[in-house]
Amino acid sequence: MQKDIRVKKETEAVFHNQATMCVGSGRMDLALQEEYQQHLALVQKEIGFSYIRGHGLFCDQMGIYREVEQDGRKVPFYNFTYVDRIFDSYLKKGIKPFVELGFMPSALASGQQTVFYWKGNVTLPEDVGKWQQLVRKTLEHWISRYGAQEVESWWFEVWNEPNIVFLAGDLEEYCAFYRDTAAAVKQADPALRVGGPSICGIDVDRWLNGFFSYCQEQRVPLDFVTRHCYCGGETHKNGEYVHHHMNEPENMTQELKQTREIMKRYALTKELPLHITEFNTSYTSRSLVHDTVYNAAYIADLLSRAGEDADSYSYWTFSDVFEEEDVPKAQFHGGFGLVAMGGIRKPTFYTYRFYARAGKKLLYRDENVLITADENGQRYHVIAWNMTAQGLRQDQEPKKYRIEFPCFGGGTDAMQFKTCVDEQHGNAGGSWCDMGCPRTPDQIQLDMLQRLSVPEMVSTRLKAAGGYYETEICLQQNMVAEFELTPCRTTDQPYDGFEEAYGFGLQIR
Amino acid sequence: MQKDIRVKKETEAVFHNQATMCVGSGRMDLALQEEYQQHLALVQKEIGFSYIRGHGLFCDQMGIYREVEQDGRKVPFYNFTYVDRIFDSYLKKGIKPFVELGFMPSALASGQQTVFYWKGNVTLPEDVGKWQQLVRKTLEHWISRYGAQEVESWWFEVWNEPNIVFLAGDLEEYCAFYRDTAAAVKQADPALRVGGPSICGIDVDRWLNGFFSYCQEQRVPLDFVTRHCYCGGETHKNGEYVHHHMNEPENMTQELKQTREIMKRYALTKELPLHITEFNTSYTSRSLVHDTVYNAAYIADLLSRAGEDADSYSYWTFSDVFEEEDVPKAQFHGGFGLVAMGGIRKPTFYTYRFYARAGKKLLYRDENVLITADENGQRYHVIAWNMTAQGLRQDQEPKKYRIEFPCFGGGTDAMQFKTCVDEQHGNAGGSWCDMGCPRTPDQIQLDMLQRLSVPEMVSTRLKAAGGYYETEICLQQNMVAEFELTPCRTTDQPYDGFEEAYGFGLQIR
Amino acid sequence: MQKDIRVKKETEAVFHNQATMCVGSGRMDLALQEEYQQHLALVQKEIGFSYIRGHGLFCDQMGIYREVEQDGRKVPFYNFTYVDRIFDSYLKKGIKPFVELGFMPSALASGQQTVFYWKGNVTLPEDVGKWQQLVRKTLEHWISRYGAQEVESWWFEVWNEPNIVFLAGDLEEYCAFYRDTAAAVKQADPALRVGGPSICGIDVDRWLNGFFSYCQEQRVPLDFVTRHCYCGGETHKNGEYVHHHMNEPENMTQELKQTREIMKRYALTKELPLHITEFNTSYTSRSLVHDTVYNAAYIADLLSRAGEDADSYSYWTFSDVFEEEDVPKAQFHGGFGLVAMGGIRKPTFYTYRFYARAGKKLLYRDENVLITADENGQRYHVIAWNMTAQGLRQDQEPKKYRIEFPCFGGGTDAMQFKTCVDEQHGNAGGSWCDMGCPRTPDQIQLDMLQRLSVPEMVSTRLKAAGGYYETEICLQQNMVAEFELTPCRTTDQPYDGFEEAYGFGLQIR
Amino acid sequence: MQKDIRVKKETEAVFHNQATMCVGSGRMDLALQEEYQQHLALVQKEIGFSYIRGHGLFCDQMGIYREVEQDGRKVPFYNFTYVDRIFDSYLKKGIKPFVELGFMPSALASGQQTVFYWKGNVTLPEDVGKWQQLVRKTLEHWISRYGAQEVESWWFEVWNEPNIVFLAGDLEEYCAFYRDTAAAVKQADPALRVGGPSICGIDVDRWLNGFFSYCQEQRVPLDFVTRHCYCGGETHKNGEYVHHHMNEPENMTQELKQTREIMKRYALTKELPLHITEFNTSYTSRSLVHDTVYNAAYIADLLSRAGEDADSYSYWTFSDVFEEEDVPKAQFHGGFGLVAMGGIRKPTFYTYRFYARAGKKLLYRDENVLITADENGQRYHVIAWNMTAQGLRQDQEPKKYRIEFPCFGGGTDAMQFKTCVDEQHGNAGGSWCDMGCPRTPDQIQLDMLQRLSVPEMVSTRLKAAGGYYETEICLQQNMVAEFELTPCRTTDQPYDGFEEAYGFGLQIR
């Protein structure tokens, strides 16, 4: 069965594409690693995110907060050696910090409760004044180093997922802590943007309503709203791995809409930006779904619509350089990353590369296809995906489309450039299984995986006929593909005597 | 129809693979160009030739031979500025000079006759003593700069194709000139290897017999024999382009055998190395065949057998940085190169990359398939091609093979890594036609061509069954493909709980 | 004897610094060379010129103009392969073309007269209409490739030094040729800037007056005026070298003023920009003066004042990759370049690096010292030189200065960073003589020369005392030095317990 | 006062130069950092060490040893992800591991005692069998990854400084632990080299005698002996800094000789290699001495003699990427490194660069000067230093030498290339003080420090006179200088007409 689409010539519709607004990162001090920086360079070169967000800014490993003894008493000492190195590296790569203010330095903590293998302390400060001073001093340092104009273009989010284990405190305590932290931010510079509550999808109504009404009543500054969305449903654990029955992508769309609904109830929040500061399919870094073409198709589906409701949605995370559940123990291990260890692109990397190149004009969208165009009308861009229902993998027919595009000016032909990721192409995790799953591949194996992570790339010439170019798309299960159409310049003859079919049965094309 | 092959377990047969022994280059001073050096770096990184040979060492552009006036008379002045820069760059990239001694500096020439757009002077020296001194001084300079051991590993060929327009002289004159030049070489260092006659395929019998008997009778040093082979047959000219009906590849094989036959007639030559210092399909740099997948398949066929008869066969040339017929006027223009302008790999580039990775043990060979293995038995390597008879391009069925390989030790499975160039994949010239043939593409177009020049790469896991791995190969017309089989390490489990099919219908492979 | 300077606190004076506006280049197609591009990258990274100008755009080597036979007659064929590669490389390195329209393609030439080793044809076109078409087509190609906005920021100069051997024609013929060429430029885009007459310093009055009055009377477009200045006086030839008694730098200053005087006589020219599209000490590329510290000091003197009269002055040339007098025959050979072969910086390179960093505010200037400051008052910049009168080299006392600078705000100390080139430091040509003058150095020798080309660099802390920092400068003969003063941040103590002199007689400073 | 030296023509003496045999590193997982790898690349490019040694291989951060629950019980799980990445990076940079086997993974530890900010566990294993298995599995993994031949070229040292806080155990316990660990090493491959006891300079006699007699009596394998030497004497603490009165360098020489004496007492050890696996001036990473030119001179003195007694002496450490006393809090902070943060070379870096280039023949040595030559007699190499007695810094006269070198063959002149580090040149720490001690410099400041870290480099031509070249050396306090003499090639005239002094009072030299 085939679906026919005739793309309209003109549109007022805009594709709200926030795919590359922000991306997640492993804990801050991992940014000191060479491997992390290599992955970030790759991601910035081929995708290009605007902001990056991760945990652990104030954790002990970063070394920012210390106390030294002077004249017999402990005084705070601020050490920006590591954070300067890291933020310098971000800005040099064209990405800005989306700052998460947390977790608690041991020297300030009121308790011992921690999260993760790397033991981030999640207790409230013993002395909130010292915490406020830490926040203010840190922001002032950045303003001094990077200039106020630069720092005012960043975002400052207070803590992470306080509604679950990430805060040793309740809603009321978070609200007070938010108030004090926001005050410190504004003290450093009133133009800095502060927001929260950074909750995950549990007990959402109570938290959002509670937090918004608190801020509104107490006149606490709130410049933007943040929350998280994960799509993993029913779980099954095997050894260290977690497998999920995935929720429908539509679930996440609904979550966004519901959040917007709640925001609309309050004068304070109804016009504020909504940033989804984390999202992904599974919420664990040991779920193999992240390494699959299914994931690439799932995310392609989400990205086609999420910009209608949210101002950003930050894929958690750009890289498998990540330690929440211990040091990665195998080349592929279900990590969150777009990039696997050794700089290997995963299928979902390409989903992002495709969305980074989408046009601003929205020409067509359904559950498998997104068609956009550049504002100058000189490029069509198609993203197509076929997220195959779980359990049906072996049985499904490919989906087929026949699409007609109005011709570019001058009756010129078009070149169609197709880039395709599927179970055979651009599927490094699959190839690693073919290889026998070597836990730490050597350089020869990594080189193979690098090559096998490359998608299929094919060009075709589309003839201008009857005012339209016609193309066909055949979507195998879990395929994600990009089609780019640009005008041929047919008048530019190579030179005297050139002909594609040049005799004796030979031809260059 | 399908052919079945069961590869035998053991063999004494050796694959005589001289594919990467030598490669041709545009005239020497083009090596000063950045683009040339970038292409050479690419070729050396991905293929890795041992020697490089080109024309024009002593031409005026290289600046080596000059005469200056001192005390009222002209004296020779030798300037090695450019050749030092070039040879330094070669050695740094791991490639050695296969030195062609020619053409004639204007200041030494006896006439005005030239070849090519760049006007190489092809006349004999006015004063052969000055020529000999030039040769000797140049060689002594290299020995001083690079050490005798290094220079003794090079080859020195006297002139180029003296049997046609490249020498303003006849067989007798070439013989005398060869004698004098060889004497100069040996004067610099008796261990240097000198050879000739570097003829192309015209009037071959007379030239070889004449030259060999001359050297034998006159006791002229001859350390190796050289000649050229081109496969272009009937020609058709259209504008600046030349099209050919190609001879069968078998023709070239016959030429090599006949040359060997003649060599065997003389005590002097019967054991000497035979170097084909130039070969290709068409002999012009304006024949589009060089840019096609057909060419890749044609050369794949030649390379599968040429090592049986020749000690090297130097593809003319590695790069489209080349000016014999004027500055290239379009991105694709039928140049000889493995690499097109902008660093774009042509299909034949991959043929060479495949042959560079062939094994030393010869397991199977027919007119479409070459199967080799590493000496340690831990890798199978298949090159398969389907050079499609001209004029039949549209009509032909793909060729099919079913191949069984004896299992690697321990009953392990194998990973098959297939790399495939065909009309859709790795065919940048074809994609450039799709693009509308822009003569000098801009950076965006070059980036597209770069990506479209990448072959299809796919992995598969072959199960060990009954002591064999079984695979199928389907050869579309003019396809060239490489299949590499290496052992899986199935005992190396990723880690606790890993399973490819991990539930809920999802799987990583 | 010592001179005392107390720098004033404030000034309205501006330092008219056009040192980095434009730089000269060897003939256009040398830009294809790797060595050329490496030198340009170095120069752009450390100095940063805005425009580049060289000869030979339309010469045969560039391949732009060809004629092909079609239907029995010759038709023009334009080939932009090389010029696209070159201009792409310029723009990528942040430098724009200052286009010299010349010389004449053989196929258009009316005669055989050439200049230089590389035989640039200097005759007028046989058919001026074909020349105009060549100019127009070329400019239209650039507009299509780079956009009109970009190309409108370039400059187009008609021909080179038509008043001497570079034009086979007289003033009258140049005027007509200029008119026709300017018309072609404006036809391509009326916003393109065209100028001339690009004369050298011979018969200047007659040429400028003749050209200006012609343009004014004939209403020929003229957007800027160009000429050249060289400072070589009495000459002495030895073998291939040319030595000069240099004119005083003041001579060139006078030439600029006289040119401005003539320009003021014509309504057309009195407000036009004046570009010195070539200048240097000697006007030959075989004059060792270019390789000396004397040259560095001489140019430092010129650059301190030339911006008062001219809108640019283009040092001829940035690199010794240059062939006007044959291929360079030795590492140092008196070439024009700021950079010698192998990427070795000459002393004058540093003169330019210093001027590239001068401040916008002019605080003090005499015949040996230029003091500028940044507009924000947070940096002082001193360039000091001591061009030693010829013949007196061994006898002269160093010149001494004592300079007081008003303190930066807050009573902070200052760091003085001195960079010094003299006969011992940063004098690679001198070190090459110490080395025994190897004509083509090997890599080890080049590495030594690289290190020996580095200036002396020393820092000092200047104490704030009485509202001033005080420093002393001692200028050895032919020294060129840069002193940069920036505020210390004395309040930023390293950390707890740090002290420069830390006991036991040890100290870090 | 001046000392005269006439270097003899021939010698049998060999300079035992082990300066670059091994170098120290911060704890193993810091090698994941980009900054660490950049420093190592710099050090390897300009100095080139053979081995690298650091703590923390088995610490928790490396993730190697874990226990997972399977079938209800804990089983060991080995994860080589990080160590593979690190060792791959070492080998790629041409440096091999000198493996320190330690400290204890938490999961194996018998107690909680730790060292350093980063909490290395120093207790003995709860179950020595599991420790042995960890050691054996790790070594087997390396053999599988890198090949037995490679791993057999490494060294394996058991633990670090067990005689002080680094082991929660006594001599007897160390001996037993050494025995068990050595057994595990030999089980992996009997050809692997194992050694100890890695003690520092406390209670040395008892430990060495005890350990050697134990191994000899119990027939425990011992392939080499290791110990540490630090030169810091009387200490003074100020805030976080530690200052020392330094012992005389001679003290360390005596320690080496005494160690050799003890080794000679035992048949087992008398012929064994002795590796000083750590040495430096101060033993803390907060002692500013490490950043000074005094340190460079002190180490230069040590390196001139240490090879007489030891087979290696590993400077602790190559880089300030180091965390034993917390994250570095300022650009210069008294860290051990040859390289400071931001890739800034410290003065002692140059001491090592000089020793890396010393010749094999020992021609002369005293307390300030070391003169060596290449085996082919074509290069003289001088290292000179003037370690100035503490407290006398301001008062001392420079030391002066007049040295005569026998001429190179052929009566040629020599080029002398001097590289000089002193308080003004190559002293980045001093310049940082001039700058106002910014704790985390920005990129502009780092660029300045980079340039200010460059030594003074000057060439001179030494005339051959009376069979000798004569040079003078003037050693300012705490200066370290290198003088390299190589033959001029005076016969290689640049070209026709070249003359250094070329008239009009000008000259290139």
Side-chain angles (χ1 to χ4, degrees), chain D residues 22-36:
Chain D
C22 192
V23 76
S25 159
R27 78 168 192 275
M28 190 65 62
D29 63 292
L30 291 176
L32 299 170
Q33 291 200 5
E34 186 180 45
E35 179 97 2
Y36 177 106

Side-chain angles (χ1 to χ4, degrees), chain A residues 33 124 146 188 244 248-249 287 296 339 408 410:
Chain A
Q33 290 200 7
L124 290 164
Y146 304 114
H244 299 276
E248 289 300 309
S287 183
V339 182
F408 297 120

Side-chain angles (χ1 to χ4, degrees), chain B residues 297-336:
Chain B
Y298 192 107
I299 298 296
D301 187 67
L302 280 178
L303 295 182
S304 73
R305 291 185 314 275
E308 299 300 322
D309 300 299
D311 296 280
S312 77
Y313 19 96
S314 180
Y315 189 78
W316 185 257
T317 59
F318 81 90
S319 166
D320 275 0
V321 174
F322 196 83
E323 283 190 357
E324 292 187 357
E325 317 244 0
D326 202 351
V327 176
K329 298 196 180 83
Q331 173 62 35
F332 287 91
H333 56 272
F336 289 117

